[in-house]
Amino acid sequence: MKLAIWSVTRGAGRLAKLYGDTLKARIYTLKKFNIEDTIQMENFTETLEKEFNNYDGHIFIMATGIVVRKISTLIKSKDIDPAVVVIDEGAHFVISLLSGHLGGANELAEIIGEKLNLLPIITTSSDVTGKIAVDTLSQKLNGELESLEKAKNVTSLIVDGKGVDIKLPKNVDFDKKGDVEGVIIVSNRENIESVRIYPKNLVLGIGCKRGTSEEHILTGIEMAMKKHNLSIKSIKKIATVDVKADEVGLIDAAKTLGKDLIIISREDIKKVENQFEGSQFVKKQIGVTCVSEPCALLASSGNGKFLEKKYIYDGMTISIYEEKIYE
């Protein structure tokens, strides 16, 4: 988690410097205090506006009122906002202020409290009542929520003590066997709130001809996913061989999908390529017999299985590796 610590007084700046190494965070202080080994700001508001979205979490050592006013124009939605916690200058409390669940502020407050001997203050109702929220479950599964509104509605039922069931795929073995493509709900309730979480556990390995367009690559991915009734939202990352590291269409396709493009070296591929059916033609071209399958495997946790070993689409090869969600 990439963290920043912010301060606007001399005392808070000294605390920030003290905490920085322990929390492995970048430290921001005001230039007029000349605190060494920190990023010295001329203007707090301008610097915060510039850097707010460059961190996973922000730790403010100041009054909560100041923080609320300063971030009010910067926050957008709970599914994309970074975690925000506040520490009082007296070093007594660490307060989870924003993005408690999806952003990880609640967990961050707990970690800071333990490391710095501060009292964590958590106010989200599901946490203080000892009940799990849907967005917390989504975060723990590294998934993507179908709808924040639906998640809120189902969490409200949980907090209110209502009956809520959970249906999970076969590799999350609680009480249900087998992947499902349909759900039958048996209930005498007219209205039943439900929400879906998309686990991000699919790794795509891709090989393609030089000059393949972004549009062509996106179409190939869509068709490969549709073949297996898989959601684009569950793609964790995309991987390819090092000779394709500058392939513009592939780079742009990954950006459009909002996925990391992982580059796998041919030396690493050589270590596993004998597990797959390869091509001597491909070896003559780039020095390895196959691309998509080893790239998908090597970019994954290695704990799972192939759903698609080699989907061919007009000059492209796509492999889909499914990681286990839970052990």
Side-chain angles (χ1 to χ4, degrees):
M1 197 176 196
K2 187 179 178 183
L3 299 174
I5 303 178
W6 302 85
S7 64
V8 291
T9 66
R10 189 185 302 277
R14 288 171 178 165
L15 268 182
K17 186 176 178 181
L18 183 65
Y19 293 161
D21 287 340
T22 302
L23 300 176
K24 295 180 173 54
R26 300 189 74 180
I27 307 159
Y28 289 83
T29 63
L30 289 181
K31 188 174 182 179
K32 65 181 180 180
F33 299 129
N34 193 31
I35 299 174
E36 295 181 353
D37 301 320
T38 68
I39 300 170
Q40 298 181 18
M41 306 175 287
E42 290 280 2
N43 185 291
F44 169 52
T45 302
E46 290 180 1
T47 306
L48 178 61
E49 289 176 354
K50 179 181 177 182
E51 299 292 342
F52 188 70
N53 292 314
N54 292 332
Y55 292 92
D56 302 311
H58 296 276
I59 303 160
F60 294 88
I61 306 178
M62 61 190 73
T64 54
I66 296 174
V67 180
V68 169
R69 285 192 293 272
K70 293 299 181 181
I71 68 173
S72 62
T73 60
L74 305 177
I75 60 178
K76 297 174 183 176
S77 173
K78 65 187 294 184
D79 58 333
I80 59 174
D81 290 332
V84 174
V85 302
V86 180
I87 297 175
D88 65 292
E89 196 169 332
H92 298 106
F93 309 104
V94 52
I95 304 166
S96 173
L97 186 68
L98 182 76
S99 292
H101 291 151
L102 291 178
N106 289 356
E107 186 174 2
L108 179 60
E110 296 279 4
I111 292 170
I112 292 173
E114 183 177 345
K115 288 186 175 181
L116 304 180
N117 196 28
L118 304 175
L119 178 64
I121 306 296
I122 312 294
T123 59
T124 43
S125 59
S126 58
D127 294 87
V128 299
T129 57
K131 298 170 181 175
I132 191 167
V134 174
D135 46 3
T136 298
L137 180 61
S138 175
Q139 183 207 38
K140 295 300 182 185
L141 292 174
N142 190 29
E144 180 176 331
L145 285 166
E146 173 192 23
S147 162
L148 290 175
E149 184 65 25
K150 288 184 177 182
K152 182 186 73 173
N153 293 341
V154 174
T155 298
S156 295
L157 295 175
I158 295 171
V159 171
D160 198 30
K162 304 297 185 183
V164 175
D165 199 1
I166 183 168
K167 304 298 182 187
L168 298 160
K170 62 185 178 182
N171 53 14
V172 184
D173 191 8
F174 290 171
D175 64 351
K176 182 70 178 176
K177 300 291 184 182
D179 273 316
V180 296
E181 297 187 20
V183 176
I184 299 172
I185 300 175
V186 179
S187 173
N188 61 8
R189 298 293 189 263
E190 179 66 27
N191 297 310
I192 296 178
E193 296 288 356
S194 65
V195 63
R196 179 173 177 176
I197 295 172
Y198 294 91
K200 292 183 180 178
N201 66 329
L202 302 179
V203 180
L204 270 57
I206 297 181
C208 63
K209 290 181 179 178
R210 177 63 67 182
T212 304
S213 70
E214 174 192 358
E215 182 181 1
H216 192 80
I217 291 170
L218 290 173
T219 299
I221 291 173
E222 182 181 355
M223 292 179 68
M225 298 291 282
K226 190 173 290 186
K227 174 185 174 184
H228 296 278
N229 190 28
L230 298 171
S231 172
I232 296 289
K233 294 178 180 178
S234 282
I235 297 175
K236 184 178 182 181
K237 49 190 159 182
I238 297 170
T240 194
V241 65
D242 52 14
V243 294
K244 296 295 179 180
D246 62 346
E247 193 68 54
V248 176
L250 197 51
I251 294 169
D252 289 344
K255 286 181 180 177
T256 297
L257 294 176
K259 310 300 176 184
D260 290 335
L261 180 61
I262 308 300
I263 305 301
I264 306 296
S265 73
R266 280 165 289 178
E267 290 305 310
D268 285 337
I269 290 176
K270 288 176 183 177
K271 297 173 185 176
V272 299
E273 64 180 340
N274 61 354
Q275 299 179 33
F276 309 103
E277 183 180 342
S279 163
Q280 290 304 311
F281 174 78
V282 173
K283 187 167 185 177
K284 287 180 181 179
Q285 301 297 312
I286 63 172
V288 291
T289 60
C290 48
V291 170
S292 64
E293 290 168 289
C295 283
L297 177 64
L298 291 168
S300 75
S301 65
N303 186 15
K305 64 181 180 181
F306 278 98
L307 299 181
E308 174 65 67
K309 286 197 170 182
K310 198 172 289 186
Y311 181 85
I312 307 297
Y313 174 70
D314 192 17
M316 285 179 62
T317 305
I318 302 170
S319 300
I320 305 173
Y321 188 90
E322 180 188 46
E323 296 178 332
K324 285 189 176 182
I325 301 170
Y326 183 86
E327 285 302 316

